[in-house]
Amino acid sequence: MRLPRIRRANHTESSSRTGRANRADQSDRADQSDTTDPSDSADAPPGRRRSRRIDFPRAGRSGPRRWVPSWRLVSGLFLLSAGALAGLFVAVYLYVEIPDEHDSARRQATVYYWADGSRMVSVGDVNRQDITLAQVPKSLQRAVIAAENADFYSDSGVSVTGIARAAVNIVKGEETQGGSTITQQYVKNTYLSQDQTVGRKVKELFLSLKVSNQKPKSEILQGYLNTSWFGRDSYGVQAASYAYYGVPAKDLNPSQGALLATLLKGADGFDPALSPANHKRAVERWSWILDRQVETGSMSAGERATYTSFPEPKPPVKPTSQAGQTGYLIDITNKYIKSRTGITDKDLAGGGYRVHTTFEKDKVRALAKAVEKVRTDRLDPKKRAADRHVQVGAASVRPEDGAIVAVYGGSDAIEHFSNNADTSGVPAGSAFKPFVYAAALENGSAREQEAARAAGRDERRPRPAPTLMAEPTPLVDLTRPLVDSDNTPFVQTGKKIGLKTVRKLAVASGLREESMAKLEPTFSIGTSTPSAVRLASAYTTFLNEGRATEPYSVTRIERDGVAVDGFERPEPRRAMKPKVAAIVGAALQQVGWSALEPPKGRKAHYPVLAAKTGPNDRMKSAWFIGATEELSTSVTMFRTKPDVPHLLPMQGVGGPDSERGSAFPPLIWAEYQRTAVPSSPLAEAAVPQGLGTVS
């Protein structure tokens, strides 16, 4: 009877062992599922069994879990990618070779052309004098390293974060940022173009690594100092030392060296002689570089304390190829180029550009001859002290489109660097009053309408259209005060309509916001200091029915045969109502009749819109603006000395009867007009009225 129980027990034990074996076999199959296809199961047909090298989508999983990679797969792919990148990096590094240095002799010039297409001047001779590192003072070396790359002697030659940031900005179309090491800047200066592209930045990375590995740091620093741009047409520290201080680099003191290190930030914005804003930036960075040297341990605090006075450099000097008026024309052209594009002075000095300007050769020469003739005939510096230090600036603009056709910036660009035609700093005096008149008319129209509404007048009744000689409304009748150079009515009008209103209209007409004076009562009688170019351009608004056009000096630029964008002709904009422009224009025509003697019987055919300073002006300047359909020309005369920050008095210039020199600008204008526009009836104009006897 027990045998069956024994058999059942044995059967149970056998079944248990069989179950455990089956579960173990299932477990083994599950473990193998990471490397086998589901078709490897026992139920799969023969011939379809195969091993899976990559378990994705994952076997033995269902739903979204099938698409979650295992950590083995993720780590494997990471290692594979890292290895591939490392291999690619090594391959590119081995492939890239250090090329020959740039040959300065092959550098292309930047060529400027007259409006008729003839060649004006070629700018491109490289001002560079290589010296050894031993000839560069240690203090200058330390200043450069402290400012540009404090860990220069220990770094690998590249700043990966700086390159990545620049590459991202290039792709986004934004301006690249700094952060390059001295080695990278040396490579860019010596082996690569200045193009801002991702490809060029990548090449810069590999070349910098290779140069850093193959060249000693001293050689890299020497090359960097010999190839860097310091402004004033100077490449390298030796040329810069002569350009700014007139001495070789070895004679620079630590304070002067800190100023040259400042210029590496960008000479366009840090040459202290170019503008007050530049001077402020230069002083701040110069001081920071000295402090930075103390911070990095390359200068003691005691030595730093001895450098408290900013080392003012000497004034800039133009190359001889830019003598006469040429340097002033190039100055105005380059300013316009930089205002319209990202092109810098360094780019232009690097060469390869073809710049076509609006300047007309015959008019530039005629304007210069007119100025020099009047100076020679009427001023005698040896006889009269008041005739010394006299400066003249002039500009001629085409009313049709705003093209600047001629300027007179001074006697000679290589002797007098400041461009008198484009300098803000000379008060306009009575030449500013037409903008007050125009602002009053614009404001007066609104007040008339308000008064009409108050009186119940029917405003829907049509009114006669104004003519050129239409009389202004009694509310703002400033014609006679304008002709007589009477200041009081303009001061009262400015106060009545608001000086902000006057300023707004003047700026809309083309005067620069930064040239506007403080809003004080005298603002309305010309304390603002617009340039000759801007005044000549703004007066075209009265000829063009109230439309103002931005003055321009470049028609097109090409580089390597490809046109540079940004030089479309400026579009006119509305500055004042046509009626207002006509009324002020008529008043300015009367000023022209009073200032210039028309030929007999030609008064009605003498269409000159003019403005001038007179005996009632107490400014230290004299102005005359004459605008015709062909040309709008402004002429200013003032006195200045390089070592005196303010203008000198004009009393007695040219003799006692010259009305503080105000008689001479109209004389220069008339002489120029006769030559520049010989077909005009103005060619018959006589000597300007009121000149008196000049002895």
Side-chain angles (χ1 to χ4, degrees), residues 667-685:
L667 190 60
I668 292 171
W669 179 88
E671 182 69 30
Y672 165 67
Q673 191 75 15
R674 278 193 288 268
T675 309
V677 193
S679 61
S680 169
L682 300 175
E684 304 175 23

Side-chain angles (χ1 to χ4, degrees), residues 498-571:
L499 298 180
K500 289 183 179 180
T501 301
V502 177
R503 180 178 62 187
K504 181 179 179 180
L505 185 136
V507 172
S509 299
L511 303 188
R512 291 191 181 278
E513 180 81 35
E514 56 267 29
S515 71
M516 295 291 101
K518 293 181 179 180
L519 298 183
E520 299 172 342
T522 53
F523 178 81
S524 295
I525 56 174
T527 53
S528 295
T529 58
S531 68
V533 170
R534 285 286 165 172
L535 265 182
S537 176
Y539 268 65
T540 67
T541 306
F542 303 118
L543 288 167
N544 292 328
E545 299 181 333
R547 292 187 299 271
T549 304
E550 189 75 6
Y552 72 101
S553 57
V554 177
T555 56
R556 75 179 188 276
I557 294 183
E558 299 169 354
R559 190 182 187 197
D560 298 328
V562 179
V564 178
D565 293 335
F567 295 97
E568 301 79 13
R569 181 179 295 184
E571 293 292 331

Side-chain angles (χ1 to χ4, degrees), residues 69-134:
S70 66
W71 68 268
R72 292 188 181 91
L73 179 60
V74 172
S75 59
L77 289 175
F78 174 79
L79 292 175
L80 182 63
S81 300
L85 287 175
L88 178 62
F89 186 91
V90 172
V92 174
Y93 179 85
L94 294 174
Y95 174 77
V96 171
E97 294 183 356
I98 300 176
D100 294 333
E101 294 186 6
H102 289 319
D103 184 357
S104 297
R106 294 199 302 269
R107 188 188 298 271
Q108 297 183 54
T110 289
V111 184
Y112 297 81
Y113 298 90
W114 294 102
D116 63 4
S118 60
R119 183 169 173 150
M120 180 196 303
V121 67
S122 175
V123 179
D125 292 334
V126 178
N127 180 19
R128 173 178 163 185
Q129 305 166 44
D130 288 354
I131 57 176
T132 65
L133 194 60

Side-chain angles (χ1 to χ4, degrees), residues 112-120 355-363 365 398 405 555-556:
Y112 297 81
Y113 298 90
W114 294 102
D116 63 4
S118 60
R119 183 169 173 150
M120 180 196 303
V355 183
H356 297 264
T357 74
T358 59
F359 302 120
E360 299 181 18
K361 188 189 310 181
D362 58 337
K363 290 182 175 59
R365 292 174 178 173
R398 190 165 58 215
V405 298
T555 56
R556 75 179 188 276

Side-chain angles (χ1 to χ4, degrees), residues 90 102 131 133 207 233 238-239 249 316 361 391 417 447 583 611:
V90 172
H102 289 319
I131 57 176
L133 194 60
L207 274 178
D233 297 321
Q238 182 79 335
K361 188 189 310 181
Q391 296 291 336
F417 179 76
R447 292 194 176 190
I583 292 173

Side-chain angles (χ1 to χ4, degrees), residues 96-211:
V96 171
E97 294 183 356
I98 300 176
D100 294 333
E101 294 186 6
H102 289 319
D103 184 357
S104 297
R106 294 199 302 269
R107 188 188 298 271
Q108 297 183 54
T110 289
V111 184
Y112 297 81
Y113 298 90
W114 294 102
D116 63 4
S118 60
R119 183 169 173 150
M120 180 196 303
V121 67
S122 175
V123 179
D125 292 334
V126 178
N127 180 19
R128 173 178 163 185
Q129 305 166 44
D130 288 354
I131 57 176
T132 65
L133 194 60
Q135 295 173 285
V136 180
K138 288 288 186 181
S139 58
L140 175 53
Q141 298 178 38
R142 293 166 183 155
V144 169
I145 291 172
E148 296 294 309
N149 186 183
D151 56 350
F152 167 68
Y153 283 108
S154 60
D155 67 18
S156 63
V158 299
S159 170
V160 177
T161 56
I163 288 182
R165 183 171 58 247
V168 170
N169 288 338
I170 290 171
V171 171
K172 293 167 63 178
E174 298 177 357
E175 184 178 354
T176 59
Q177 301 177 13
S180 295
T181 65
I182 284 177
T183 304
Q184 288 175 247
Q185 295 179 59
Y186 164 66
V187 165
K188 183 173 63 175
N189 294 342
T190 309
Y191 304 112
L192 301 174
S193 70
Q194 300 297 318
D195 297 335
Q196 297 293 341
T197 63
V198 174
R200 206 272 294 155
K201 294 300 290 185
V202 172
K203 193 172 183 180
E204 176 189 307
L205 167 65
F206 286 99
L207 274 178
S208 298
L209 287 171
K210 206 153 196 175
V211 165

Side-chain angles (χ1 to χ4, degrees), residues 285-347:
R285 185 160 177 84
W286 164 81
S287 180
W288 176 83
I289 288 176
L290 291 172
D291 292 339
R292 177 68 172 160
Q293 290 182 73
V294 176
E295 182 182 335
T296 58
S298 59
M299 177 183 285
S300 68
E303 183 182 4
R304 167 65 182 93
T306 63
Y307 304 122
T308 56
S309 298
F310 183 69
E312 298 286 353
K314 67 177 188 174
V317 177
K318 289 287 186 183
T320 55
S321 63
Q322 298 183 36
Q325 296 305 304
T326 304
Y328 303 123
L329 301 178
I330 299 303
D331 177 61
I332 288 177
T333 300
N334 289 352
K335 286 180 181 177
Y336 185 76
I337 291 172
K338 290 184 290 184
S339 73
R340 305 281 292 192
T341 68
I343 296 173
T344 65
D345 283 334
K346 180 181 179 181
D347 296 329

